[in-house]
Amino acid sequence: IAGITQAPTSQILAAGRRMTLRCTQDMRHNAMYWYRQDLGLGLRLIHYSNTAGTTGKGEVPDGYSVSRANTDDFPLTLASAVPSQTSVYFCASRVTSGGAQNEQFFGPGTRLTVL
Amino acid sequence: GQQVMQIPQYQHVQEGEDFTTYCNSSTTLSNIQWYKQRPGGHPVFLIQLVKSGEVKKQKRLTFQFGEAKKNSSLHITATQTTDVGTYFCAGPETSGSRLTFGEGTQLTVNP
C-alpha cells in the first residue's frame, strides 16, 4: 500500500441497507477525515479523528458513524442508507506533529449511489 | 461557524487566457491551502500560504494571501488544457485540526 486506499471504488446500495466504506493509510498519519462531495457544495466534513481512539463530528455527521481502533484504518458506516447519501466520499489524512505542513492527503474516493 | 466562499463557481476560458479564482473567509485564518481536483480524481494539495500579504508562485500559478488573512486568490497565466479541474481553497478552523473548504471553482479550458 502506498498512501491512502479506499474501498470499494463504487457501490450501488438499496435504501435501508447498512454499508461500511473502508479507508486505510500507511503513512502513519495521526489525523484522518471523511468528506462527502456533492456538486456545487464542495467538500463537507462528515467525521474526523485527531488520533487513534478519538473521533469527532464534522459539518454533516447525521446518518454516519466512524471508529478509529488503530492509526491506519478509519472506516465510515452508514447504518441505514438513504438516497440523500448518494455522493462521492473521500477519506483524507495528515500528520499533525513535528512542525509538518498542514496538507491533507486524499484517497481516490468511493462513489456511492443509494436507490 | 467558519465559512469559506469561492468565486466564481465555474469559469470557461480559451487556452492561453488567464484565470483567477477568489477565496474569502468569514474569519481570520492562520493559513490558507489550495487544492486541485482533476475531473474524476481526488483533491491534491498545491500550496499553503501563512504570512499576511504572502505571494507564492508555481510556474504559471500565482497564489496570494490577503493582508488581513481573510482572503486569497489563485491566478493562472496563459491557461493550458492540463489546468482543467476544480480548484479549492481551504482554511483551518480555530482548533487547527479541521479544514473548511470553499465550494471550489471549476475551470474548463477550450483548446
Side-chain angles (χ1 to χ4, degrees), chain B:
Chain B
Q2 177 180 287
Q3 290 184 311
V4 177
M5 295 147 285
Q6 264 184 274
I7 56 170
Q9 187 174 1
Y10 301 98
Q11 185 75 58
H12 306 279
V13 300
Q14 288 296 126
E15 190 171 20
E17 292 181 341
D18 292 356
F19 159 77
T20 304
T21 174
Y22 300 91
C23 180
N24 290 283
S25 170
S26 59
T27 60
T28 301
L29 301 171
S30 59
N31 66 79
I32 194 153
Q33 300 173 33
W34 285 91
Y35 292 77
K36 177 183 179 181
Q37 183 178 23
R38 295 183 186 274
H42 58 276
V44 175
F45 175 82
L46 292 176
I47 207 162
Q48 176 177 277
L49 304 172
V50 178
K51 300 177 182 177
S52 170
E54 188 171 15
V55 177
K56 286 188 176 180
K57 292 190 175 184
Q58 289 180 350
K59 297 183 180 178
R60 294 178 293 104
L61 278 61
T62 302
F63 303 84
Q64 187 167 9
F65 201 10
E67 294 290 339
K69 301 183 76 172
K70 295 182 71 174
N71 58 76
S72 181
S73 64
L74 158 59
H75 179 82
I76 302 178
T77 303
T79 55
Q80 300 176 359
T81 54
T82 53
D83 296 324
V84 164
T86 301
Y87 293 85
F88 293 97
C89 62
E93 296 191 4
T94 307
S95 66
S97 63
R98 296 171 286 174
L99 285 177
T100 300
F101 282 81
E103 302 92 341
T105 296
Q106 185 175 323
L107 173 65
T108 304
V109 179
N110 298 318

Side-chain angles (χ1 to χ4, degrees), chain A:
Chain A
I1 300 177
I4 302 181
T5 59
Q6 291 184 237
T9 302
S10 64
Q11 181 76 46
I12 299 174
L13 189 67
R17 297 296 296 270
R18 179 184 180 89
M19 174 76 189
T20 295
L21 307 185
R22 299 184 298 278
C23 175
T24 299
Q25 53 103 358
D26 65 353
M27 299 177 284
R28 308 302 294 174
H29 287 175
N30 36 343
M32 296 186 75
Y33 309 85
W34 273 106
Y35 296 90
R36 60 176 290 172
Q37 184 174 34
D38 304 289
L39 194 63
L41 295 176
L43 293 156
R44 293 184 293 168
L45 183 65
I46 305 171
H47 285 286
Y48 68 98
S49 169
N50 287 331
T51 188
T54 69
T55 63
K57 293 182 179 180
E59 181 185 357
V60 288
D62 295 343
Y64 305 95
S65 64
V66 291
S67 62
R68 187 89 184 277
N70 56 62
T71 297
D72 298 345
D73 302 298
F74 190 42
L76 175 74
T77 297
L78 289 67
S80 179
V82 295
S84 61
Q85 291 178 311
T86 293
S87 187
V88 179
Y89 291 86
F90 288 102
C91 179
S93 72
R94 76 178 179 105
V95 63
T96 59
S97 60
Q101 199 159 238
N102 294 315
E103 66 178 292
Q104 292 188 10
F105 294 83
F106 284 80
T110 293
R111 184 175 296 276
L112 181 67
T113 303
V114 182
L115 302 176

